[in-house]
Amino acid sequence: MNPQFHRHAIGAAVLFALSTLAHAQSAADGATLNTITITGNPLGAADAIAPVEALSGNALLYRSQSTLGETLQGLPGVSSTYFGPNASRPTIRGQDGDRIRILSNGGASVDASALSYDHAVPTDALVTDRIEVLRGPGALLYGGSAVGGVVNVIDNRIPTEPIDGFGGRVDASYASGSKEGSGAVVLEGGNDRFALHVDAFRRHADDVNAPTWLECSKGGVNVLQKRICNSASESRGGAVGGTLFFGGAGWIGASVSDYRSNYGTVAEDDVTIGMRQQRQAIEGEWRPGGFFTRIHAKASHTDYRHTEYEGGSPGTTLKNNGNDLRIEARHRAVAGFEGLIGLQSERTRFAADGEEAFAPHSRTRSDALFLYEELPLSWGKLSFGARTERVKVSSQGYPDDPSITRFALGERSFNPHSASFGLLYNVAPQWQITGNLAYTERAPKDYELFANGPHVATAAWEVGDTGLQKERSLGADIGAQWKSGPHNARVNAYWSKFRNYIGLTATGNLRTGEGESFARGSDEAALAAALDEELLAEYVYRGVRARFTGIEASGSLRLLGSDGVRPQAGGNLDLEWRADAVRATNTDTDEALPRIAPVRVGATLAWTSGPWSARVGFDHYAAQKRVPATDRAADSYTLWNASLGYRMKVQRASLLWYARVDNLGNELAYSATSILTTTVYPRAPLPGRSVKVGLRVDF
């Protein structure tokens, strides 16, 4: 742990605890302020100006998959980087990687998932209470890595409100497509003075069902099977947390968690990854009652490590250790303005060791100040904010083997700035219009600056550019929302223009496994045979001008049943619909940017009657033919799904029996947003038909 950060984090925590204890008695009779976590709006307002989607309860249960990307796939504007069934990260409005910030309870989630598509996100929906997705720039509150959007995974491991008594939930399920068995338990208890939280989960799956015959050479044996080769996985984890409450004065809590996973990488038949993440967090809130009505602080330390095994032998090992400190101080209304000021500090230390280490040992340090304000008005509200950062990225090369000199050494400093303006206008009791304008800057990441090595996940030799400048963007979003009883509809259109959009660009050269460079030519096959090794295409990180435009729409229409006021016999039948489209262009070349989702439309019939619920629906993905020359086009496909649930009461417990069928038609499909569609086609399609049955008990 960085000593300076350690002192800051511990000092802030101790000061916060002492302040809370000192004011506990004097504020014991004060009003309690319940905090509502709404990603993108730290003031907790119910009406959000930025487009935010939240999944919880049954909606999250029925959508949950083994990866975060696939769980959120299909939400308006959200797709997945799908690197097989075991690794996928959300893509929001065409942007992925380090432009999408993944948070854990509003704090940093340190891993290596943004570095490479085959690295899984160490989180599991089995022990998650809610997932919030902010579509559009979140850089104002969370830094440059949130320029495309934010995903906040909320698990209540540090309870933020008192718990009356004892309760929890138990989950158990089985899925036929991968013979997956999974289970989880969440237990919580307490009173108005303290709360405790304990959770644990486990998943185990074999190779996943495929809609076609596929080759597999795992273990040196060549076979044909209707399974995605090397897609088996096992994961487990858990956490313990607790909170002390001091009446109206505030609270302070802490948690420790552990996540472990072993899974196949799909791109290579004999390569698996063993991953472990350990995280300690402390969080609290003090309500002093003066000018600052609430001071909220959180700090965490994360140790992340994963090892890539080749045929059972350990190969490349990646480590990423990080610290995060975040303090927000909310002030009283001043001239009608309500808002807060905040401080965020992050430190990460990354190391990659082994033959396939394509990025050097590095350190990244960032410190930021931000401001967010809202002005409530008779017709709606206005919002604005600003953020300034200082980011330092340094490369230490490859210290474990001084003979490896391909990595550049040095340090780069950046000062990104961001600002935003928003408007919410209540046109009529049933109508709202929102608008957002944001200017954002992002500092290049360590690998974008200093990479120089083979990257199997992208089937390329990646080279960084130490001279890269800040990535700058200007974006606008306009939306409309209508609600009348059980009926609702939402639509958002957006536009973003980037200067210096950083991405991988092919140079036309080839590299050997030792890094020797050759010009691409007609003798490529002969050269590979003569060298007796596979050649990798050379790609460099370069900044280009880029433009993103798109539209998202969703809604629900009550076809039969209650009008929202008077219940009717026979239950309710709703039609839920959704559609989105995004177009992303490299405006320097007028060529499409890679891995952009196609036009998508979907609909679901949802029926509820007493304890019964049933759903059947489809999502249609149009063909994606607009791809760069280095990518493979993807054909259109339609995925059908259905579910059935029955909830019953047994004394104080609520039991939900459910069944879900994914890819009902067992359609063969390849994702346009997955790099596998280009690099290992046709060996990694989307999973085939799978029937999942499960039981959830809430008590």
Side-chain angles (χ1 to χ4, degrees):
M1 180 182 291
N2 181 280
Q4 184 179 7
F5 179 89
H6 183 83
R7 290 194 298 270
H8 289 170
I10 297 300
V14 171
L15 177 61
F16 180 84
L18 292 175
S19 300
T20 302
L21 289 169
H23 286 264
Q25 186 60 43
S26 62
D29 298 328
T32 300
L33 176 63
N34 292 329
T35 300
I36 302 174
T37 302
I38 297 182
T39 303
N41 188 338
L43 303 184
D47 292 329
I49 299 178
V52 178
E53 196 89 15
L55 288 176
S56 62
N58 288 354
L60 177 58
L61 178 66
Y62 287 152
R63 295 186 65 95
S64 66
Q65 302 284 351
S66 58
T67 66
L68 182 62
E70 292 304 296
T71 296
L72 301 179
Q73 159 84 347
L75 291 178
V78 183
S79 50
S80 165
T81 59
Y82 183 74
F83 201 93
N86 301 323
S88 73
R89 217 172 183 270
T91 295
I92 301 178
R93 294 182 170 181
Q95 300 183 47
D96 60 15
D98 268 301
R99 295 182 186 89
I100 305 300
R101 187 72 189 266
I102 296 177
L103 304 173
S104 176
N105 301 301
S109 178
V110 178
D111 53 46
S113 62
L115 178 72
S116 180
Y117 298 110
D118 60 332
H119 299 168
V121 179
T123 187
D124 199 294
L126 285 170
V127 288
T128 296
D129 289 351
R130 186 166 76 256
I131 302 177
E132 296 175 347
V133 181
L134 170 64
R135 305 193 304 272
L140 171 67
L141 296 173
Y142 303 108
S145 292
V147 65
V150 178
V151 176
N152 191 9
V153 180
I154 302 165
D155 51 35
N156 204 43
R157 284 172 169 171
I158 299 179
T160 59
E161 295 182 2
I163 298 173
D164 184 15
F166 174 78
R169 67 178 186 268
V170 176
D171 279 285
S173 65
Y174 173 82
S176 64
S178 59
K179 300 178 182 178
E180 178 192 272
S182 64
V185 59
V186 177
L187 302 175
E188 294 181 331
N191 53 34
D192 61 348
R193 288 297 181 185
F194 71 90
L196 295 176
H197 172 105
V198 178
D199 67 61
F201 73 92
R202 185 178 184 273
R203 289 182 187 266
H204 182 276
D206 293 337
D207 284 350
V208 176
N209 177 47
T212 187
W213 292 96
L214 300 171
E215 294 182 355
C216 183
S217 58
K218 191 170 184 177
V221 179
N222 295 319
V223 298
L224 282 176
Q225 60 180 20
K226 280 196 169 183
R227 298 271 172 183
I228 300 176
C229 186
N230 196 28
S231 60
S233 65
E234 180 178 4
S235 60
R236 63 193 186 278
V240 177
T243 304
L244 294 175
F245 297 96
F246 307 106
W251 51 270
I252 187 168
S255 70
V256 293
S257 62
D258 184 87
Y259 179 99
R260 306 185 187 199
S261 179
N262 293 279
Y263 62 92
T265 65
V266 176
E268 298 175 283
D269 291 353
D270 280 308
V271 175
T272 59
I273 289 179
M275 176 203 298
R276 181 174 184 179
Q277 184 201 63
Q278 294 178 310
R279 187 173 189 266
Q280 302 91 40
I282 183 170
E283 183 176 0
E285 187 169 284
W286 173 36
R287 301 162 192 153
F291 176 74
F292 289 110
T293 60
R294 186 190 74 188
I295 299 177
H296 193 100
K298 61 184 70 177
S300 67
H301 172 73
T302 304
D303 290 305
Y304 173 91
R305 177 190 181 106
H306 88 230
T307 301
E308 300 175 3
Y309 294 88
E310 302 176 13
S313 300
T316 303
T317 297
L318 279 76
K319 301 176 185 178
N320 200 11
N321 299 329
N323 302 288
D324 170 63
L325 172 65
R326 185 181 181 89
I327 301 175
E328 297 176 354
R330 181 170 179 173
H331 63 74
R332 291 191 180 276
V334 177
F337 286 93
E338 301 173 352
L340 57 78
I341 59 173
L343 163 70
Q344 185 173 3
S345 180
E346 296 184 33
R347 304 288 188 268
T348 58
R349 299 182 63 175
F350 173 80
D353 298 293
E355 293 182 0
E356 296 178 2
F358 69 94
H361 291 220
S362 64
R363 293 186 181 184
T364 301
R365 293 160 287 174
S366 67
D367 299 289
L369 291 172
F370 57 89
L371 169 74
Y372 181 85
E373 299 288 336
E374 285 187 359
L375 177 62
L377 298 166
S378 60
W379 46 264
K381 61 182 175 181
L382 299 174
S383 74
F384 72 89
R387 181 186 180 98
T388 181
E389 294 182 73
R390 181 169 179 80
V391 181
K392 290 185 178 181
V393 186
S394 61
S395 167
Q396 284 84 47
Y398 200 86
D400 292 345
D401 188 350
S403 66
I404 298 178
T405 60
R406 66 176 184 265
F407 297 116
L409 303 176
E411 181 175 272
R412 291 289 310 278
S413 296
F414 304 91
N415 292 105
H417 307 292
S418 301
S420 69
F421 174 81
L423 174 148
L424 185 148
Y425 180 51
N426 294 309
V427 181
Q430 298 175 335
W431 283 92
Q432 281 185 342
I433 293 177
T434 58
N436 293 276
L437 181 66
Y439 172 78
T440 61
E441 295 183 345
R442 182 179 74 90
K445 302 297 291 185
D446 51 349
Y447 58 89
E448 294 171 330
L449 293 166
F450 301 112
N452 192 0
H455 190 181
V456 175
T458 58
W461 185 286
E462 296 185 5
V463 181
D465 181 356
T466 58
L468 284 174
Q469 300 301 310
K470 289 184 297 185
E471 186 178 81
R472 298 177 173 91
S473 67
L474 179 66
D477 178 295
I478 186 168
Q481 180 172 306
W482 167 80
K483 186 173 183 180
S484 177
H487 314 293
N488 65 81
R490 292 178 294 176
V491 61
N492 281 86
Y494 59 90
W495 167 90
S496 296
K497 185 177 181 180
F498 283 81
R499 289 178 55 194
N500 202 44
Y501 184 87
I502 301 171
L504 284 170
T505 302
T507 65
N509 295 331
L510 300 171
R511 293 280 193 123
T512 68
E514 299 299 321
E516 189 176 0
S517 179
F518 296 90
R520 186 184 291 273
S522 58
D523 60 346
E524 179 180 332
L527 179 62
L531 296 172
D532 193 26
E533 63 177 299
E534 183 180 358
L535 298 177
L536 296 174
E538 181 185 74
Y539 282 75
V540 298
Y541 283 98
R542 287 177 180 164
V544 301
R545 293 180 300 165
R547 182 180 62 245
F548 290 77
T549 56
I551 190 169
E552 305 151 350
S554 62
S556 180
L557 179 66
R558 177 64 50 86
L559 300 179
L560 297 172
S562 168
D563 59 4
V565 178
R566 299 176 299 275
Q568 297 183 20
N572 299 323
L573 181 65
D574 295 302
L575 173 64
E576 301 171 357
W577 57 272
R578 53 206 169 267
D580 58 28
V582 57
R583 184 180 180 93
T585 304
N586 177 340
T587 55
D588 284 343
T589 63
D590 202 32
E591 188 179 39
L593 289 173
R595 296 176 297 281
I596 301 301
V599 174
R600 308 184 301 181
V601 295
T604 299
L605 283 173
W607 171 76
T608 59
S609 179
W612 289 96
S613 63
R615 300 170 62 87
V616 60
F618 72 91
D619 287 283
H620 175 74
Y621 296 73
Q624 181 56 287
K625 306 297 184 182
R626 190 175 182 271
V627 298
T630 54
D631 283 14
R632 179 185 296 272
D635 294 329
S636 65
Y637 58 93
T638 302
L639 299 180
W640 287 84
N641 58 80
S643 65
L644 178 67
Y646 178 78
R647 184 178 293 278
M648 58 185 293
K649 292 281 189 179
V650 178
Q651 295 182 348
R652 297 181 58 186
S654 173
L655 280 68
L656 174 64
W657 304 87
Y658 66 93
R660 187 183 78 202
V661 185
D662 295 320
N663 195 358
L664 188 61
N666 202 34
E667 181 161 358
L668 178 63
Y670 293 86
S671 169
T673 57
S674 171
I675 197 169
L676 295 175
T677 300
T678 295
T679 57
V680 298
Y681 180 87
R683 294 178 58 242
L686 294 174
R689 183 189 300 116
S690 178
V691 179
K692 182 177 183 178
V693 293
L695 168 67
R696 165 167 288 188
V697 181
D698 293 282
F699 55 91

